Amino acid sequence: MKLTLTQTAAAAALLPALLFATAAWAGKADDTVSIAFAKELEHVDPYFNTAREGVLLGNAAWDGLLYRDPATGEYVGNLATSWTWVDSTTLDLTLREGVKFHNGEAFDADDVVYTLNFTVDPKNGAKNKVATGWIKQAEKIDQFKVRIITNGPFPAALEYLAGPVIIHPDEYYKAVGPAGVATKPIGTGPYKFENVEPGRHFVLKRNEDYFAAAKPKAKVGTIDIRTIPDINTQMAELFNGTIDLVWQVPSDQAEKMNGRDSFQVINAPTMRVGYLSLDAAGRSGDKNPMTDVKVRQAIYHAINREGIVEALMKGTTEVINSACSPSQFGCDTAVATYAYDPAKAKALLAEAGYPDGFEIELYAYRDRPLAEAMIGMLAEIGIKANLNYMQYAALREKRIKEGAPISFLTWGSNSIADVSAITSEFFTMGGEDDARDKSLSDLLEKADSSIDPAERRTLYTQALSVIADKAYWVPLWNYSTNYVMSGDISFTPTPDELVRFYEIGWK
């Protein structure tokens, strides 16, 4: 079924006429790549944000103990040179000598132990709990050897150590704390921060002394990042030459740019998924209709996912049925699904005691046209959903503190190719778990800790089947993303949606 005009109107904004002027590129001349962030990043410390933008900055300015080669998928040493499992919960790592942080502080075991123990201590308030939640504690063996003790067997540990787990300088961090890092971050990475205006502007300069064991040295001297929430403004600045690269560009805008000699448009698959989280646990109120499984199933039947992808998203975006990304280990896609069927949706609402529908609040932080299209579809079955459009950080805090009836969200799993980074993140009784299903949580915790890959797959399949059968989520689609770049930029996107700034160069 084609989308109605009402459902697609919000996505039909035309580029302003001023865009169609001759571009004047200046970035190559001063070796500066200018990038637009659409989302306001509340904190640059990777442990104090869960945004994709934070992952990109973390990868540029800090390092992990390990590194996963995006071409081969193999783990190689980064801040660590070797590692050994002593037993199923004890991992010993030998650290690289001679590495220095951007402020000259020498890297050693004290930095690793301090960083990990700080982030796992609840009193310190780290936001990115998925990064180190599997760690019980870190111990120093000697100056260049550390031991990580996990909360239980955690076979995905290397994936996390090669991803969101970054290392801070202990002396500096002790002196300034998270508040100091928010404005003057210090890492070991290929780029160092020259300027930070929290949430607005970030300037990165190439680290000329970078040790480059796994990541290469940066190709471009300066990365200048500004927060520009409005896509039309982003496109205008691309045409004016004040921005060189934007990603997550809507399909209609990307199509307007495609074929113009001054620009490159690349559509690439990602690990990011979109979903509706439904408040089955009644956290947002006892009379919340989402506590009824028939209502949740009705909402699932009401959303024309294929129609939205075809009309508004295109590219390599695909509809999904499981609460995970298909590229992740353990993501079984053979679960129950609910075909687009408004008549069946209305019948389910009537069976649940809502023959005339009801009014409810729907929250979102991005992709407003997609949210509005789904609101139009809900209206067709009698559900009047009021859109509450918020900043990501504010919506996350609201969900943690009091829940929300319906939330349209996305999750990129910190680019971790393992189901534990998404399904277990949202269904193990944490702050954003809208199901609060103890038996489901137990299944996932057992799967996360099993050292038998076959058993892990079986347990994840069982958990994903429960989520589908009870319609705790409406899985929507596995995003692709459009990158629009100036003609001078040399950059090849990877499926993990990790824009590696140090890989960006000039043609």
Side-chain angles (χ1 to χ4, degrees):
M1 178 179 175
K2 296 290 185 182
L3 298 187
T4 66
L5 181 61
T6 300
Q7 292 163 356
T8 59
L14 297 176
L15 287 172
L18 64 90
L19 296 183
F20 298 98
T22 301
W25 306 109
K28 192 172 183 179
D30 60 6
D31 199 25
T32 298
V33 170
S34 296
I35 297 175
F37 277 2
K39 188 188 301 177
E40 182 177 311
L41 186 65
E42 73 269 35
H43 203 298
V44 295
D45 187 336
Y47 294 117
F48 283 83
N49 75 77
T50 58
R52 170 62 37 175
E53 289 77 359
V55 173
L56 305 191
L57 289 178
N59 185 255
W62 285 274
D63 284 297
L65 294 167
L66 308 183
Y67 180 78
R68 178 163 55 83
D69 187 314
T72 66
E74 295 181 357
Y75 300 111
V76 297
N78 196 14
L79 287 175
T81 57
S82 63
W83 55 95
T84 304
W85 283 101
V86 178
D87 56 43
S88 62
T89 60
T90 309
L91 178 65
D92 285 357
L93 300 100
T94 300
L95 306 180
R96 191 174 302 280
E97 299 183 32
V99 176
K100 291 189 181 295
F101 287 92
H102 300 151
N103 63 351
E105 189 177 327
F107 164 76
D108 61 16
D110 290 332
D111 305 300
V112 178
V113 171
Y114 179 80
T115 299
L116 299 185
N117 289 340
F118 182 90
T119 59
V120 301
D121 188 339
K123 75 174 185 292
N124 293 322
K127 303 290 186 184
N128 192 359
K129 292 179 171 50
V130 68
T132 56
W134 53 279
I135 296 174
K136 182 178 181 180
Q137 65 186 57
E139 300 173 351
K140 179 179 178 179
I141 298 175
D142 62 35
Q143 186 178 4
F144 291 102
K145 194 166 186 178
V146 297
R147 172 166 291 172
I148 296 175
I149 300 172
T150 66
N151 288 316
F154 190 68
L158 300 186
E159 181 75 9
Y160 285 72
L161 292 177
V165 179
I166 58 89
I167 304 301
H168 287 296
D170 70 311
E171 294 176 13
Y172 178 72
Y173 210 97
K174 288 174 185 174
V176 305
V181 172
T183 55
K184 293 184 179 179
I186 298 293
T188 58
Y191 279 103
K192 51 188 176 181
F193 284 93
E194 181 180 71
N195 182 56
V196 173
E197 295 177 42
R200 297 178 56 198
H201 189 201
F202 312 96
V203 179
L204 304 175
K205 288 290 185 180
R206 180 169 51 211
N207 178 9
E208 302 294 351
D209 298 321
Y210 185 55
F211 63 96
K215 301 175 187 175
K217 289 193 174 185
K219 297 177 181 178
V220 169
T222 303
I223 302 291
D224 190 298
I225 303 164
R226 286 183 292 127
T227 301
I228 306 174
D230 179 66
I231 184 62
N232 284 327
T233 304
Q234 291 181 8
M235 296 299 100
E237 295 216 20
L238 271 168
F239 269 91
N240 293 336
T242 51
I243 290 293
D244 299 301
L245 187 152
V246 181
W247 83 103
Q248 296 180 341
V249 176
S251 293
D252 62 328
Q253 301 283 24
E255 287 175 357
K256 295 177 189 300
M257 306 289 280
N258 201 14
R260 299 182 66 84
D261 292 340
S262 299
F263 305 98
Q264 306 170 74
V265 179
I266 301 174
N267 178 269
T270 76
M271 200 180 292
R272 179 172 300 277
V273 302
Y275 61 95
L276 294 179
S277 185
L278 310 178
D279 183 17
R283 299 169 64 214
S284 58
D286 293 339
K287 296 182 180 180
N288 172 15
M290 298 303 107
T291 58
D292 191 317
V293 66
K294 291 183 178 180
V295 172
R296 300 195 300 272
Q297 291 171 338
I299 289 174
Y300 207 143
H301 280 300
I303 305 300
N304 184 0
R305 299 173 296 158
E306 289 83 0
I308 291 175
V309 168
E310 179 184 353
L312 300 180
M313 304 181 78
K314 304 180 181 179
T316 56
T317 298
E318 295 181 341
V319 169
I320 60 172
N321 297 317
S322 287
C324 49
S325 176
S327 63
Q328 293 175 309
F329 174 87
C331 186
D332 189 344
T333 59
V335 299
T337 189
Y338 303 78
Y340 173 57
D341 190 339
K344 189 167 186 177
K346 289 180 180 178
L348 283 166
L349 285 182
E351 290 176 24
Y354 301 98
D356 300 320
F358 52 81
E359 185 172 348
I360 201 161
E361 304 303 305
L362 185 150
Y363 292 80
Y365 77 96
R366 62 173 280 176
D367 297 332
R368 189 177 192 125
L370 307 184
E372 291 178 343
M374 288 187 280
I375 285 172
M377 293 167 182
L378 292 175
E380 291 177 3
I381 67 166
I383 297 176
K384 183 180 185 298
N386 303 311
L387 178 59
N388 296 262
Y389 201 73
M390 305 172 68
Q391 289 286 344
Y392 171 73
L395 177 53
R396 185 190 64 212
E397 290 303 308
K398 175 180 174 55
R399 284 171 45 74
I400 290 171
K401 291 178 180 178
E402 59 192 66
I406 307 178
S407 303
F408 169 39
L409 302 163
T410 77
W411 187 248
S413 295
N414 282 284
S415 298
I416 295 170
D418 192 276
V419 164
S420 63
I422 178 170
T423 317
S424 301
E425 170 71 4
F426 294 103
F427 290 98
T428 51
M429 313 297 282
E432 293 185 86
D433 182 353
D434 286 334
R436 304 286 166 152
D437 184 329
K438 183 62 166 60
S439 61
L440 171 60
S441 176
D442 290 344
L443 265 178
L444 288 166
E445 288 180 352
K446 186 176 180 181
D448 291 348
S449 62
S450 173
I451 59 174
D452 180 350
E455 182 184 37
R456 290 188 79 209
R457 288 185 185 276
T458 298
L459 291 168
Y460 284 136
T461 293
Q462 293 173 11
L464 291 165
S465 295
V466 169
I467 295 167
D469 292 344
K470 296 186 177 181
Y472 288 141
W473 271 16
V474 178
L476 297 170
W477 37 71
N478 200 93
Y479 277 88
S480 64
T481 192
N482 293 303
Y483 298 79
V484 181
M485 300 174 280
S486 74
D488 287 333
I489 294 289
S490 173
F491 175 65
T492 302
T494 52
D496 56 13
E497 200 189 0
L498 187 53
V499 182
R500 295 169 173 84
F501 296 152
Y502 46 84
E503 296 280 9
I504 300 173
W506 303 110
K507 287 185 176 179

